[in-house]
Amino acid sequence: MKKGKRICIVGAGAAGLALAGRLASKDCVERVVVLEKNSCVGGRLQSEEMDGFRFDTGPSLLLFPRVYKETFEALDVDTSALDLRLVSPAAYRVIFPDGDTIDLLGDEEAMAEAMEKREKGAGDGYRRFLRIARNNLELGMPYFIEQDFTHLSDAKGLLDLLPKATSLNPWHLLGPYDLVLREFFKDARLRAAVTFQTLYVGLTPYNAPGVFSLLVGTEMNDGVYYPMGGFQTIRDAIEKAVVDSGVDICTDHEVARILVRDDMSVCGVELADSGRRIEADIVVCNRDLPAAYSLLDDAQADVSSNAKRYGERKTAQLASLEYSSGIIAFNWCIDRKLDDSLLHHNIFLSDQPRKAWKLAKSADELQEFPNFYCHMPSKTDPSAAPTGCESVMVLLPVANMQKLRDTNGYDALIRKGREAVVRYMAKVTGISDFEQHIVGERVIDPVAWEKLYGLKFGSAFGLAHGLDQLSLFRPANKDTTVSGLYFTGASTRPGNGVPLCFISAKLCAERIMHDLHASP
């Protein structure tokens, strides 16, 4: 048996699993155990079935394929059973209440021609915008997103970046996204078609910085993919590789406490149901950060509660940060085919964009035609629904639990939100009795997101991604007070989404290995 450090990872989300696999092969690591409170691994990376219909209840589009490839190679994932398909004929369809649509095409010239037909000069504007988006992607990924640093001077090769600085316009990086886009498009709908991606990080085109154009950069450069069989195939392939590497994964094992010695170093965890303690030299928490710090406790009952007080203080500090939107998810079994008015990925936008992007805090604030995302995997993968049927998932952004005004919870918002979504989809598809074709339904609201995954305030995308909570300003993956305590996942650097969680796992593994080799 190898002699080395015992590592315990709390939570088997995408980052927790990837981190476990990266650490398992290291010579200085004796054992890696992953403790997951739910009955299956993956965190939000899930596919669920209902009466023959399949829904991806978390991630539903595969971006940054290079990051997936690197992770698969690092974990020695058997990819022979994975079938990643490029979504076509368009990456998305953007839909407006009057029936107008804009398809986002992967072919730059075809997209530019389509935009030029809508607005004179918009074709050239799109080409210029796409150059900036690609530039932000090419510089942002290696120099900031894929690099862990605690001080600005630690950023990878900043001196190497200086010659490229002439291609960077601070306004394009830091200015409000919608305002930045006015340089390229006068038509508000054209701007909406390339800024809705801010939904992925819980922001809006009006408060997101222009640097998020890098999302368009990867979509147009690399394409948008879908794993045939659902995102569960990604989860299962990674789980198998991690188990094969020797990691112990224990589901239905909820951690009640992270145990800390009186010298403020971790020594293990304690399970909720049995009270059993598992010793560890290093504890990595893959839970949402506020939930992670709330677990800190003293290992001995007769010592001063330094760790517990510290955890409470950090939990309060984190609660004061800005959190992303809440999400009401409608997963519907549709007993008929929907025509070509809808594609695999569909973005429904309001005719009153500023009002619609303002997250509804109560039912009376919801617009008649709100903004929402509609996922129809059966358009690409027939196995997602029975023959002649469609699998539909709708994500409706609303206020998170912290900002909700309705004292009765989300019931009224769910009812009105459902009515609004059905009304909009019936109008677009021309199916007046659309609601009658919903033969199965599962609704997930922010309260459920918090219960399932420990997400503070039910914020589906974790901490918000405003400028003051990006990169250096986002919580670090290592605690500076409690020795041996690390973090990985969406609320740490670099941020939300499966690719960024994979990067988070890589950065955390590198940090742990650096610290172990630096130890006396």
Side-chain angles (χ1 to χ4, degrees):
M1 178 183 291
K2 292 190 296 183
K3 295 296 183 181
K5 299 296 183 181
R6 300 159 299 175
I7 299 177
C8 178
I9 299 174
V10 182
L17 288 175
L19 176 63
R22 287 179 179 274
L23 292 174
S25 61
K26 305 301 182 183
D27 290 338
C28 57
V29 175
E30 177 183 317
R31 182 191 181 205
V32 179
V33 59
V34 181
L35 304 173
E36 168 58 48
K37 79 179 185 72
N38 292 323
S39 59
C40 62
V41 303
R44 283 165 276 180
L45 183 61
Q46 299 294 336
S47 301
E48 297 184 9
E49 298 197 6
M50 182 195 315
D51 301 326
F53 294 80
R54 189 185 69 243
F55 305 95
D56 297 297
T57 57
S60 58
L61 62 164
L62 195 152
L63 301 176
F64 299 101
R66 178 183 62 79
V67 177
Y68 280 82
K69 184 175 184 293
E70 190 280 333
T71 300
F72 293 158
E73 291 175 351
L75 303 184
D76 197 22
V77 171
D78 179 4
T79 59
S80 61
L82 294 177
D83 183 2
L84 306 183
R85 297 283 180 91
L86 182 67
V87 173
S88 62
Y92 306 90
R93 174 161 289 168
V94 182
I95 301 168
F96 301 92
D98 61 3
D100 186 20
T101 63
I102 300 175
D103 287 354
L104 266 70
L105 307 173
D107 184 290
E108 180 178 345
E109 285 308 307
M111 190 72 245
E113 289 177 14
M115 288 192 163
E116 186 66 25
K117 290 178 181 178
R118 295 184 65 98
E119 176 191 314
K120 184 175 177 56
D124 182 61
Y126 177 71
R127 294 185 188 95
R128 290 187 293 117
F129 163 70
L130 198 55
R131 284 198 296 271
I132 291 170
R134 286 169 173 160
N135 193 50
N136 288 345
L137 177 68
E138 291 169 4
L139 297 181
M141 285 295 286
Y143 286 95
F144 294 99
I145 294 175
E146 294 180 306
Q147 179 71 17
D148 187 26
F149 53 94
T150 55
H151 302 286
L152 191 58
S153 59
D154 295 335
K156 177 185 177 181
L158 281 181
L159 291 178
D160 296 337
L161 188 60
L162 290 178
K164 304 175 183 179
T166 55
S167 66
L168 297 175
N169 182 327
W171 171 249
H172 293 157
L173 291 171
L174 307 178
Y177 201 2
D178 182 72
L179 287 180
V180 169
L181 266 290
R182 290 169 188 260
E183 177 183 331
F184 308 99
F185 312 110
K186 295 178 182 177
D187 186 344
R189 291 190 171 183
L190 289 182
R191 296 197 301 273
V194 292
T195 57
F196 70 81
Q197 294 90 344
T198 55
L199 170 66
Y200 306 158
V201 290
L203 296 174
T204 78
Y206 309 106
N207 65 11
V211 69
F212 280 106
S213 63
L214 64 83
L215 292 172
V216 179
T218 186
E219 290 169 353
M220 298 300 104
N221 252 19
D222 306 321
V224 177
Y225 290 82
Y226 182 74
M228 301 295 279
F231 272 80
Q232 62 186 356
T233 61
I234 302 284
R235 175 200 66 197
D236 294 346
I238 292 176
E239 180 185 16
K240 183 179 186 304
V242 171
V243 170
D244 288 348
S245 72
V247 173
D248 294 323
I249 298 178
C250 306
T251 55
D252 296 307
H253 278 59
E254 182 174 2
V255 171
R257 300 196 297 157
I258 295 174
L259 303 173
V260 182
R261 300 183 184 93
D262 57 2
D263 65 353
M264 295 298 280
S265 64
V266 298
C267 59
V269 301
E270 183 176 288
L271 300 181
D273 289 342
S274 64
R276 181 167 69 93
R277 293 188 173 192
I278 298 175
E279 294 182 351
D281 304 296
I282 291 172
V283 174
V284 186
C285 208
N286 184 209
R287 294 186 66 180
D288 203 35
L289 233 60
Y293 275 105
S294 69
L295 297 178
L296 290 186
D297 204 352
D298 298 276
Q300 294 177 264
D302 58 346
V303 302
S304 59
S305 56
N306 291 334
K308 190 173 184 64
R309 283 200 301 267
Y310 173 68
E312 290 170 349
R313 187 167 69 251
K314 289 291 291 185
T315 299
Q317 289 174 357
L318 289 164
S320 68
L321 298 180
E322 187 66 24
Y323 285 78
S324 62
S325 64
I327 289 290
I328 297 174
F330 299 98
N331 298 281
W332 288 335
C333 307
I334 307 295
D335 69 354
R336 58 162 291 171
K337 297 298 289 184
L338 301 180
D339 62 21
D340 291 338
S341 58
L342 298 178
L343 301 180
H344 186 129
H345 298 293
N346 307 275
I347 305 295
F348 287 72
L349 295 179
S350 172
D351 50 2
Q352 300 185 62
R354 282 192 175 273
K355 288 184 178 179
W357 278 113
K358 187 177 180 181
L359 299 171
K361 300 176 182 178
S362 59
D364 62 319
E365 294 185 5
L366 199 64
Q367 298 296 304
E368 179 183 9
F369 295 105
N371 296 334
F372 61 88
Y373 162 72
C374 171
H375 182 230
M376 294 181 56
S378 42
K379 289 288 185 178
T380 298
D381 185 353
S383 72
T387 303
C389 301
E390 302 278 17
S391 165
V392 172
M393 178 190 72
V394 168
L395 300 182
L396 176 66
V398 295
N400 61 39
M401 293 163 63
Q402 182 187 37
K403 298 181 178 180
L404 185 70
R405 285 181 181 165
D406 195 329
T407 56
N408 294 318
Y410 285 90
D411 289 350
L413 256 175
I414 290 172
R415 285 194 300 272
K416 189 168 182 181
R418 188 181 191 276
E419 292 170 2
V421 171
V422 167
R423 178 171 55 246
Y424 204 162
M425 293 190 72
K427 181 180 174 72
V428 168
T429 61
I431 303 172
S432 58
D433 62 344
F434 184 91
E435 185 172 15
Q436 304 306 312
H437 294 282
I438 302 174
V439 295
E441 177 180 62
R442 185 192 174 203
V443 179
I444 308 173
D445 69 1
V447 176
W449 290 115
E450 183 180 55
K451 182 178 180 181
L452 282 168
Y453 307 117
L455 300 173
K456 188 71 173 178
F457 305 127
S459 300
F461 307 105
L463 283 174
H465 294 71
L467 284 174
D468 58 345
Q469 293 180 180
L470 283 179
S471 192
L472 175 65
F473 306 109
R474 200 165 183 83
N477 57 18
K478 176 186 177 182
D479 189 82
T480 56
T481 298
V482 179
S483 176
L485 178 61
Y486 297 82
F487 307 98
T488 191
S491 286
T492 58
R493 299 170 192 158
N496 171 75
V498 175
L500 268 62
C501 284
F502 284 158
I503 294 171
S504 172
K506 180 182 179 182
L507 296 178
C508 187
E510 290 172 351
R511 174 62 66 92
I512 290 172
M513 296 311 299
H514 173 273
D515 291 349
L516 289 180
H517 287 119
S519 299

